Amino acid sequence: MARKIDILTLFPEMFQVFNHSIIGKAREKGIVEINAVNIRDYTKNKHKKVDDYPYGGGAGMVMSAQPIVDCVKAVKQNNRGKVIFLGPRGKTFNQDMAKEFAEENELIFICGHYEGIDERTYKYIDMEISLGDFVLTGGEMACIPIIDSICRIIPGVLSSSESYTEESFYNGLLEYPQYTRPEYFEDIKVPEILTSGHHENIRKWRRLQSLLITKRRRPDLFNKFELSDEDKKLLRNIKITMK
């Protein structure tokens, strides 16, 4: 059964990006179903308005509750998944959340716009998430990378689970350096260990590089990461070598 994701948005055309590349192929294979639903189709306003001025005054417009709520109710008839709003009050999205969402069979995302949504809409929202502490022009811009990160770890979307389990953040570390042909480029040679054919030594080298890169570039991640006995040994050995 395909994993189903419905996106409630004012700009469904923005999600045509999912017709291409890896996610597009997954849709063709029936692994994941992604539907963009136009909130504007559910407004009762004869001019198709979905926003209005905020009570109490202030700059900008606020998305009205009625079209969003009616859209959620309509989508819920065929999708019983959690309703997730992309908004600034939410918990910051990360790889752990992506893994959790990838286990869900159905999900519903709401993309906000303007100065936000009418507070009464939250009655129909299960969870709010944010892409980070910065401002975007709309929830669509946050929704695209979030859905992409979820879909790519759904079984069958990538050719091998190794494609994502070795990537940055999946296991709490940044990814090790990658090289491809030619062996020499601008007088820089690929590290000799990678051409040795010794798979265990390569694995240990890559693990050590992930540890060192994370410690240097993202000490916040490194300090939270629980080192294994092997990790500690690899780091001890590199200190001994450097002395």
Side-chain angles (χ1 to χ4, degrees), residues 165-207:
T165 57
E166 294 293 323
E167 291 176 332
S168 294
F169 305 114
Y170 189 85
N171 290 314
L173 296 173
L174 299 181
E175 191 178 9
Y176 49 79
Q178 297 276 18
Y179 297 86
T180 187
R181 292 180 177 82
E183 188 173 344
Y184 285 88
F185 177 71
E186 294 186 345
D187 297 326
I188 301 173
K189 186 180 184 295
V190 172
E192 199 166 311
I193 194 167
L194 296 179
T195 60
S196 68
H198 196 299
H199 298 298
E200 180 60 10
N201 286 347
I202 291 171
R203 183 192 68 78
K204 289 180 179 179
W205 180 86
R206 285 175 167 171
R207 182 66 176 185

Side-chain angles (χ1 to χ4, degrees), residues 68-84:
I68 300 174
V69 169
D70 283 0
C71 189
V72 169
K73 288 179 178 178
V75 169
K76 276 282 189 181
Q77 293 178 20
N78 296 301
N79 184 332
R80 309 304 296 177
K82 293 177 182 175
V83 178
I84 303 160

